[in-house]
Amino acid sequence: MNTPETRSPAPHTIVVVGTGPRGLSVLERLAVRLREADDRRPVTIYAVDAVEVGAGRIWRTDQDSWFAMNTVIGQVTMFSGGPDGGRPRPGAGPSLGEWLHEYAPQRAREGDGHGPHDFASRLEYGRYLRFVYRTLTDELPPHVRLIPVQGRVTSVRPAQDGRYRVTIDERRSWDADRVVFATGHPDNEPDAFDRAMTEFAEGRPGLHYVPGDSAADMDLSEEAIPAGTTVAVRGMGLSFYDVLMSLTEGRGGRFVRDAGGRLRYEPSGREPRIVAGSRSGLPIPARGRSQKAPNYVHRGAFLTDEAVDAARTRRRKTGGSGRLDFVADLLPLVLHEIRHVYYTGHTRARHGDRAAENFAARYVREIDAGGDGAHAVAEAGLDDTPRLDPWRLARPFTGEHFDSQEQWRARLTEVLRQDLGEAALGTVDGPLKAALDTLRDLRGVLRSAVDYGGLLPDSYDRDFRRGYVPVNALLSAGPPMLRTEQLLVLMDHGIAEVAGPDTRFGTDAAAGRFTVHSPHVPGSPRHAQALVDARIPAPDLTRDRSPLIRQLLRDGLVREFVNRDPATGEEFATGGMDIERDSFRVIDATGRAHHGLYALGVPTEHVRWFTQIGNGRPGLNTEFRKVADAVAAELLPAATARDTRALAPVAARA
């Protein structure tokens, strides 16, 4: 019998809420630190997920195979270190590509796209995530228990001794020393448009409205959207292609390449007629054919940490708070960076590597001297090269009006085929796609400039959030080239069409149908029996209808991050969950940082930028990896956190 002197200490208890990639990354770093620690105090970790422990909702393993990732498999890993010749374990395991080759050899033999520059399905990534989770479970030391819990956390409240009472589905609960929120994409309250469309459909049998969500969770069934009926699709970003595939390949249609490599579509007869649209009228362009090594990162010549620090210093010297104006301080650096890559690529294509190196150096010198690069461009004989304008690329039909639907279709087809041609040149050899791919590599420096209220409130809202971010997403986060090819084939078949620029969605009470049309394309109006919003809801703490988020707000345990400039008093309420810099501790309604509550990923969007990314990159000390390790260190008992080594330094930021 244990006496008070010999009784084992109570376990240190950690709850990870959400086990998609962000939550799983914390579990992986926790496992590394616990394996290496000298302290052997018992630790219990609850891994809680409402859908699937170890994969989460977006990557769950029961979804259909036609939902694709938009990151090549060679650039995806969930282990914080690569294979080292031993068995897979926390800190040393295969990337997604390596795992597919080793654990899915049948598909590899069938030639089903498992090279480092190919794309996997979301289903395959979910299976990989589950493999990572099982590896963690199998490789934990004896004093650590990892307990999977499938259920929804409905409340987290302060308990005794600085702990927190965590309740699952309002039925069972336990006390935890540390809780981390990694809850992923939100389920928001409907906005005015959602409410209007839902009410219109509810009063009319046969109509179907689908609000924005992951396409795998949408009701796109034949019962909801019968074959031959018209469905309007709002938004043409990445989720648009998921909807498109669900309504075609998901209905039994087949995309087949003939002997000459030409793609064709074999309809099943169960497809609806798809009419899509967006403000730009442009389906998200394709990502360039990947040519980069997994650990390649563009080294900035203009947008650097030093340049950001210098801009802050200038702002302070003029009496400001050090907060930046995006258009004045950062956008010119972004444009210099991508144009540098763009024109260097054109020089290489025309004149070879040595000429490209000389041009690159000359362009930097001219910009540093206060010029705009025009002289370097002229000296390289590139005067006839179209100037790279991201806003023009993202809105190619601005100011254009069309005389007929045929004219519009021809123009759209021209733009899409031109984009495919640029994408085929690659992310190294293709000047345009190489430049746009650089936007991905610039995220790290840009994030350091804008996070935690780094921009003036109005500039953050107007110039960055509503101005730059949509353009950046459209041009740098596109789908595989195959998706654009498939859309063109479906357009040729008459199964899919794009309404036109500045697409309007609404209702026709007299006809009892939804409407979709472009004011720039005569004859574009269509009636539809179904309307699908193919846009992922933006994170917004104040609209999130999760019982947990509502309880945390109501009890004052969390608060919305307000970007406030102390020099002017100007402020902007962002919708993100306020957290403390570096520690990721949640900040409560009084401005106090909790010692035991932490948040990362999507709930903190707008405090930090681009938190949706769902993986690390092999060989790189990415933001994804560093945040996971910082949170893991905070979650451990103090002695354990001190005993374990920090994340091993690897290559530069990505």
Side-chain angles (χ1 to χ4, degrees), residues 114-254:
H114 282 170
H117 301 303
D118 292 315
F119 296 85
S121 69
R122 293 216 298 261
L123 169 62
E124 288 173 311
Y125 188 44
R127 290 172 175 166
Y128 170 69
L129 296 178
R130 288 284 300 163
F131 164 80
V132 176
Y133 177 79
R134 288 192 300 272
T135 299
L136 307 186
T137 302
D138 294 343
E139 296 292 334
L140 287 172
H143 69 288
V144 180
R145 287 199 308 157
L146 177 57
I147 302 173
V149 180
Q150 184 167 345
R152 187 177 301 278
V153 175
T154 49
S155 68
V156 174
R157 292 188 168 93
Q160 293 181 343
D161 302 324
R163 306 181 89 204
Y164 294 89
R165 174 63 57 87
V166 179
T167 301
I168 306 291
D169 294 323
E170 300 181 354
R171 296 194 309 272
R172 48 187 169 146
S173 61
W174 56 82
D175 289 349
D177 297 280
R178 304 283 190 273
V179 181
V180 57
F181 303 121
T183 48
H185 290 288
D187 174 22
N188 288 341
E189 287 284 353
D191 61 16
F193 182 86
D194 288 328
R195 291 192 298 271
M197 297 303 106
T198 299
E199 290 170 6
F200 184 78
E202 285 176 348
R204 293 167 174 83
L207 292 195
H208 184 56
Y209 175 64
V210 183
D213 200 354
S214 168
D217 290 307
M218 292 178 173
D219 183 3
L220 303 175
S221 64
E222 289 186 64
E223 291 74 18
I225 306 173
T229 60
T230 298
V231 53
V233 181
R234 185 187 190 204
M236 295 191 292
L238 289 171
S239 292
F240 159 67
Y241 284 105
D242 292 337
V243 172
L244 191 69
M245 291 301 102
S246 297
L247 297 174
T248 53
E249 191 172 12
R251 296 285 183 94
R254 295 177 64 236

